Each structure stands twice: as C-alpha cells, then as structure tokens.
Amino acid sequence: MIPPQEASVRRREIEDKLKQEEETLSFIRDSLEKSDQLTKNMVSILSSFESRLMKLENSIIPVHKQTENLQRLQENVEKTLSCLDHVISYYHVASDTEKIIREGPTGRLEEYLGCMAKIQKAVEYFQDNNPDSPELNRVKFLFERGKESLESEFRSLMTRHSKVVSPVLVLDLISGDDDMEAQEDVALEHLSESVLHDVIRISRWLVEYGRNQDFMNVYYQIRSSQLDRSIKGLKEHFRKSSSSSGVPYSPAIPNKRKDTPTKKPVKRPGTIRKAQNLLKQYSQHGLDGKKGGSNLIPLEGRDDMLDMEIDAYIHCVSAFVKLAQSEYQLLTDIIPEHHQKKTFDSLIQDALDGLMMEGENIVSVARKAIIRHDYSAVLTVFPILRHLKQTKPEFDQVLQGTAASTKNKLPGLITSMETTGAKALEDFADNIKNDPDKEYNMPKDGTVHELTSNAILFLQQLLDFQETAGAMLASQETSSSATSYNSEFNKRLLSTYICKVLGNLQLNLLSKSKVYEDPALRAIFLHNNYNYILKSLEKSELIHLVAVTQKTAERLYRDHIEQQIQTYQRSWLKVTDYISEKNLPVFQPGVKLRDKERQMIKERFKGFNDGLEELCKIQKAWAIPDTEQRDKIRQAQKHIVKENYGAFLHRYASIPFTKNPEKYIKYRVEQVEDMIERLFDTSA
C-alpha cells in the first residue's frame, strides 16, 4: 500500500496539472472564436471587393474597346497618307531628276547615281502598278538617257586618264627584280585613286542595274591601245638612245640600273661582236666561195642595229609581262569576276601579237640569212630564245585562264626559234665540211684560215648559250632517248655537235692543205690551224664541253700538232743531207786531197749554202702566229742544224779543199742560227 502522505501529494499534483490543462483548453476555445470572427470579417471584405471589381470591369472594358478601335483607325489613316505621299513622289521623280540627268554625271557621280536609283524605283513602280501610265515612258526615257551618260562618262574617264607608261618607268619596273639592294617597289598608277573610284562605281552600276556589258569592250579597247603603245614606246626609246649612249637606262635610279632587265640577265659577251664581224666578213665571200653573196650593209652600222634590235626585243618581252600583270591587277577592280579572264585575253592580244610577229620576223630573217650562209644571224636568236625560255614561267602565270590559242603563242614562237636555230647549227656544220678549196682564199703564209677562226668564234658563242643550244639540238631528236630532255642530255648533244664541227673542220683543213705544193708549207698551215683550235678550246673552256663526249680531244690535237712539226722539219733534210757524214770520204791528216774529193767538199758546202738561203728566203715569208710555237720550232731547227753544220764545219774548215775558202765557207754557225731565228717573221 501507498502511504497516505504520498497519496495526498500525488493527488495534489494531478489536480494542479488538470487545472492547467483546463486553462489551456479555455485559451484554445477563445482563440478559435477570435479566428472565426476574423475569418468572417475577411470574407465579408473580399466579397465587397469582388463586387466592386465586377462593377469596374463592366464599366472599363467598353471604353478600352472603343479606344482600340480609334487607334486602329488612326494608324490606317496614317498609312494611307504615307502611301499616298510615296505614290505621289514617283510622279515627281521625272521632274526632280531631269535636270541632273540632262547635265550628266561629271563631277557629281554619287548624286547622279542617287538620281538614277530614284528613277529605277519609279520605273519598277509604274511597271507593277500602272503600266499604261505616261509617267512610265517618261521615267524609262530618263533611265536610258542616264545609262548612256554613265557609259559615256566611263569611256571619257578611261580615255582621258589612261596614259602610256613612259619608257623610263617601264625600265624601272622590269629592272626591279635585278636590284639586290633594298629599294622601294616601282608601282604603276594607271588611274588616280579618285578616277579609279568613279570608274569602279560606274562599272558596278552598269553590271548590276544597267544590264550592260558594252563598257567591258570599251575598257579593253582603251587599255589594249595603251599597253601596245607603252611597249612600242619602249622600243622607240631604244632606237633613239642606242646609237649615242648604248643600252638605254632609266635616270630614276641611276646608281642601280642594270644593262638587262631580267632575273638572269642576257649575256652579251664582248666576243659576240667580234664573232659577228668576222662571220659577216666571211659571209661576204660565202662559205661556198662565192664573193659578195650576202649583200650586207656596212658592218659597224649593222652591229649597232642588231644589238639594238636584240636588246629592245628582250626588254619589250619583259615589259609585256610586267605591264600585263599590272593591267590584270587594275582589271580585277573594274571588271566583274566572271568576265575578267575573257576581257584580259582581249586586252593583251594586240601587244602579244606584236611581240610574236616581231619574233617571227627575227626567225624569218634568220632563215633567209642561213640560206645565204650568213650564220651571224643565228646569234641573234640565241639570246632572245634564252630570254623567252627564262620568261616563260611568268608568261604562263600571266596568261593563266586565257584562251588556249593565246597560251600557245609563246610556245609556238619558242619552237619556231628552236627549229630555226637547230637548222642553222646543222647547216653550219655541213658548210664547214663542204667549204670548197679555193686557191685565192688560202693564206699565202700558211697562217690560220678564215674558216677556222670563224668556226671557233661561232662555237665560242655556244658557251654562253649552252642550255639554249643544247635544247635546240634536242628539239630535233626523234629517238626514244630524247623523250625526256634534261640538262645533262642537252649538254651531251651540244658536245657531240661541237665535236662534229671540229671533225668537219679538220677534214676540210686537210683537204685545203693540198692546195699548197710545198709539203712544208702544208705542214705549217695545218700546224697553225690545229694549234689555233687547241689554244682557242683551252682559252674559252670549250675543251671541257668537248671532253663530255671526247675525253682524248686535247691529246689528239697535240699529237696532230707534233706530227706537223715533224713533217715541217723534214723540209730541212735537203739542207742537212749535204753536211751529214754519210757518203763523205775519210780524210787522213796531212794527205793531199784528190780533185774528186775537193770537188765533193765544194759541192757539199755549196749545196748547204744554196739550200739554206733558199729555205730561209721562202720560209721567212711564212707565219706562225703563236709566239711559243714559233720559238719552239725555231729552237728545235737551230739545234738540228747547229749540231750537223757545226760538226761539218769543224771537220772541213781547216782542210785545204779550195784556194777561195770564203766562197764556200760563207756562214759561221752563229750566222746560221741567226738566219733560222728570222724564219716566220715577215717584218725581218
């Protein structure tokens, strides 16, 4: 059992807790009542607000709809008024623009184009909305008149401002690639910036709105004329300046001017003029021996003319490339893209045809000269052909996109020149072989024949044009080995050709030498020519080119030279045989000579003296131009004669074979040596 005291305490705690719960419950009831009251009040307020909103909406919505209708009506009125203003403006276009259109676009292009835009819009409006309106005809007339004025302005601008490029500026342009020092690029300004802007604006308008391509024909005709005149002006510049000052130059860059305006300057070696002179002189007699067959003008004048023509043509080719490049750059700004190639093709035709025709004329002149055996003419083809081949990559790049007939013009000229050059080379070799043996044309002193010097001088020119000459010969090859030409193949062909010419020359010289009745003079003649050929080959480095296919050429020529020296020396046997020991009696000291023996000694002295005098008299008039060879032959002959005559004189000078020894012992050994020393010296 719980003790009474604890039960009482427990009861009090429960009662207190119960009292608290009752108070809490009472508080909750009061709160709920207040909440209900507030809810009722809020519902009442919201109901009142809803009622008021309904009333407001019912009164506002009709007003809003009415206002919206009014705004729509206002907008429609404004649009109608705007459309009316727009339509009315088309009816005023003709009167507003007629004065400007009539006066033309000069000096106010932008304003003029603005008027044309208004007229064009008016035309489009009337065509779409009122095609029967008289206003349509009026604005159409104005549009056509305006278009004609723009076309006329385009022509006028191009005509007035397209100027011929001066020769000085062209020379600066084509020499720019040669100048290694830093310098400003030479640029061509065909049209000023303002004029170019106007031309471009007109061309674009004519293409876009004028539906007209006639202006492109006007453009290429005007620019074509200027291009052609620029190149002809350069040629005329050469013609006027070359006679007094040599190769023309531009004073714009006086310290940087090059003689030749190409990346690889065309060489004009000093020997080319010498070769031309000698070849032309010889062609007056002709390789066929016919005198005066070529009807050449004086050599001095012809040299200057040839030099001028060659240099002028080479410069004109380079000028065409540079000017055509410049023309294409200008054209791309003015002509629509899809018409550029065709227009450019037409633009360059006159200038290109002029160059090609001039090139063909050079070929034609060369062909005629070759028929006359004037092989100096082919020397004009070599530098030109080389330059054309060097310039061909630039040519091809400039002519990219042009017609096939245009692209093929330069290759056609190159082929023509190669064919003509190859024909000249082969014809020259054949004529070297077949040049007839004419006695009047043979050197009396046995010196170098004109044919030899001409042939060597001609071959020396090939050193400066090895690639060109090799390609000429290769162009005529039909064998399978020639299907793919290369530098080494061309070099071998040229080497073979030079060996052929030298072989033909040697055969001809052997044939010509037979004209000489004296075998010794024949030997001197062959010696001089062989020696000249060898020295010329070595001096000009032709020997290296010959050695490509003929390794032993140098040794063979030295052998030939030595053989001719030995042949010449045999001419002295008729002199030295008199004083040789064979068939001479042996004389005992103190024994008196018999008459027969004395007579024999006299005959030997007389035969030696007469033979020596005769040989020296004859051979003194002969010539050995090479000092080294002349001294060598003299020394060898002096040694032989000195050895024999000295021994003969030592043996018989003291023997009393005559009462008048001075009659037979006419010369001392030193005197004989001095006589031989004066051989081959026409001035002695």
Side-chain angles (χ1 to χ4, degrees), residues 80-330:
T80 301
L81 291 174
S82 176
C83 288
L84 286 173
D85 289 340
H86 183 66
V87 170
I88 292 171
S89 69
Y90 287 129
Y91 285 87
H92 293 290
V93 165
S95 57
D96 292 343
T97 60
E98 185 174 9
K99 181 182 178 183
I100 295 175
I101 297 302
R102 186 175 62 252
E103 292 174 353
T106 303
R108 52 177 178 185
L109 180 61
E110 291 301 326
E111 181 184 5
Y112 195 87
L113 291 177
C115 291
M116 290 298 293
K118 292 178 181 178
I119 294 171
Q120 184 181 7
K121 289 180 180 178
V123 170
E124 293 171 353
Y125 171 79
F126 289 119
Q127 284 177 336
D128 294 339
N129 298 283
N130 193 1
D132 298 327
S133 170
E135 286 296 326
L136 176 60
N137 294 330
R138 190 178 178 191
V139 291
K140 269 188 174 182
F141 172 77
L142 280 178
F143 185 81
E144 291 301 322
R145 184 172 181 177
K147 186 170 74 170
E148 290 174 2
S149 295
L150 286 171
E151 292 170 355
S152 178
E153 179 70 4
F154 182 88
R155 178 187 293 274
S156 176
L157 288 172
M158 291 301 303
T159 302
R160 284 187 289 113
H161 297 281
S162 290
K163 305 296 182 184
V164 174
V165 183
S166 71
V168 169
L169 190 55
V170 173
L171 287 171
D172 283 339
L173 186 68
I174 59 183
S175 66
D177 292 334
D178 283 339
D179 294 332
M180 302 302 293
E181 301 177 18
Q183 68 176 56
E184 294 183 3
D185 292 336
V186 179
L188 292 180
E189 185 181 68
H190 296 290
L191 301 173
S192 67
E193 188 174 346
S194 60
V195 172
L196 180 60
H197 175 267
D198 288 351
V199 169
I200 292 173
R201 291 283 286 119
I202 294 173
S203 69
R204 289 179 180 174
W205 188 93
L206 290 173
V207 171
E208 187 174 356
Y209 303 110
R211 306 293 189 270
N212 190 329
Q213 298 181 6
D214 291 343
F215 78 95
M216 299 180 198
N217 296 331
V218 171
Y219 177 85
Y220 91 70
Q221 289 168 1
I222 294 173
R223 294 308 306 170
S224 175
S225 174
Q226 300 305 323
L227 174 61
D228 192 41
R229 289 169 61 194
S230 296
I231 294 175
K232 288 178 178 176
L234 178 63
K235 185 177 179 181
E236 185 64 24
H237 180 66
F238 269 82
R239 183 175 288 111
K240 289 179 179 178
S241 342
S242 61
S243 59
S244 59
S245 60
V247 178
Y249 66 95
S250 162
I253 312 177
N255 295 326
K256 298 178 181 178
R257 173 67 45 234
K258 300 278 183 169
D259 285 342
T260 307
T262 57
K263 288 185 175 180
K264 296 181 180 177
V266 175
K267 294 182 180 178
R268 302 284 293 152
T271 56
I272 193 167
R273 174 160 295 189
K274 183 180 178 184
Q276 286 174 335
N277 283 342
L278 290 175
L279 287 168
K280 289 171 195 170
Q281 287 172 345
Y282 194 54
S283 66
Q284 288 179 327
H285 298 286
L287 286 173
D288 56 1
K290 296 178 181 177
K291 196 171 184 178
S294 58
N295 297 321
L296 294 174
I297 63 175
L299 300 181
E300 194 76 33
R302 190 178 181 204
D303 278 335
D304 294 337
M305 192 181 302
L306 279 171
D307 286 344
M308 185 278 294
E309 291 294 338
I310 293 171
D311 290 332
Y313 187 73
I314 286 173
H315 280 73
C316 286
V317 169
S318 296
F320 172 80
V321 173
K322 294 297 183 183
L323 291 174
Q325 288 173 342
S326 180
E327 287 292 343
Y328 189 75
Q329 291 173 357
L330 177 67

